[in-house]
Amino acid sequence: MTGAAGGPVSGATLIVLAKAPVPGRVKTRLTPPYTPEEAARIAEASLADTLDAVLATPARRRLLVLDGEPGPWLPPGIEVLPQCAGGLDERIAAAFAACTGPALLIGMDTPQVTPALLAPALADPGPGDAWFGPAEDGGFWALGLTEPDPSLLLGVPMSVAETGRVQRQRLYDAGLTVRVLARLRDVDTARDAQLVAAEAPHGRFARSLTAGSVTAARAPVAEPPTAGSPTAEPPTTGPLTAGPRAW
């Protein structure tokens, strides 16, 4: 059996937690300098690039857990499930609860994601394994669980500087072996957008920035992340200094 990209199908579910790209409801931290309409176009491009990567990644099931209504940006091959009400921890927990077997969840704020970055967490995870994708701001851009358990998410403070540390410690406290994916920058601010576009200059996201009517300050080119060889990591107990992360 082969996946959308022609490779062998992973036994895992690949989840994208996202908001429909509606002006005034998404990427509000981009306004200003962008208008709400421009910010929504940027969000749509970010989501489209993310879904392209998901479709190119072998998976048993591809699930978009969506706040809002699907639009013409939704490609074939993606199952849509409405997000539940509640805080971000509750919504992520509910997304995992909708899955059976291994699952990897990502957001829509890392349009530079590639199948190579996702692949380690989908390749025959072992019992008791968890995968954690740290974000530059102290949160996380990916979370993978061999056995989805909503209790691993509920009560974790989201969108604060210590989100990643608390979530990772929750996994360790449950006795899981936590393996780490590449660190990525997620798009919260206009500067984030410029840096991420420099990492992935050929995607819809980068084109959406150049197509806008607002010209943001040119950001230095960041070194692109590499997937590397994920390894088990001991608990992190020190404070994080990065800013908050939210989907």
Side-chain angles (χ1 to χ4, degrees):
M1 185 176 182
T2 58
V9 173
S10 163
T13 297
L14 189 46
I15 310 166
V16 178
L17 190 78
K19 283 185 178 181
V22 176
R25 295 198 67 242
V26 291
K27 291 284 176 276
T28 55
R29 290 178 63 187
L30 295 183
T31 57
Y34 297 98
T35 67
E37 291 73 22
E38 288 168 340
R41 287 197 295 271
I42 291 169
E44 180 175 332
S46 181
L47 181 54
D49 282 351
T50 301
L51 294 178
D52 281 350
V54 166
L55 285 170
T57 303
R60 177 175 59 85
R61 183 186 183 197
R62 299 174 181 86
L63 180 62
L64 174 63
V65 182
L66 185 65
D67 177 2
E69 296 298 323
W73 43 264
L74 180 68
I78 303 287
E79 179 184 350
V80 179
L81 183 71
Q83 277 189 37
C84 72
L88 183 54
D89 62 321
E90 295 170 297
R91 288 180 278 135
I92 296 175
F96 276 110
C99 302
T100 57
L104 175 67
L105 180 141
I106 63 174
M108 63 181 286
D109 292 343
T110 49
Q112 73 274 43
V113 72
T114 64
L117 290 168
L118 298 173
L122 297 170
D124 299 322
D129 275 354
W131 288 86
F132 185 86
E136 290 284 354
D137 62 8
F140 59 91
W141 67 270
L143 182 64
L145 299 172
T146 302
E147 299 173 0
D149 180 355
S151 69
L152 295 172
L153 282 302
L154 293 172
V156 172
M158 297 288 171
S159 304
V160 294
E162 64 269 20
T163 293
R165 176 171 58 83
V166 174
Q167 181 61 76
R168 197 181 308 188
Q169 191 63 51
R170 179 75 70 88
L171 302 175
Y172 289 123
D173 290 346
L176 301 181
T177 300
V178 181
R179 303 185 184 278
V180 182
L181 297 169
R183 183 180 298 271
L184 295 185
R185 178 184 298 274
D186 49 56
V187 177
D188 289 326
T189 67
R191 178 167 174 78
D192 290 333
Q194 294 293 323
L195 290 169
V196 169
E199 292 179 16
H202 304 299
R204 292 183 180 89
F205 180 78
R207 293 197 298 272
S208 75
L209 295 187
T210 59
S213 62
V214 174
T215 303
R218 186 174 181 82
V221 176
E223 289 294 325
T226 56
S229 299
T231 57
E233 183 173 293
T236 300
T237 56
L240 296 177
T241 57
R245 158 78 171 93
W247 276 313

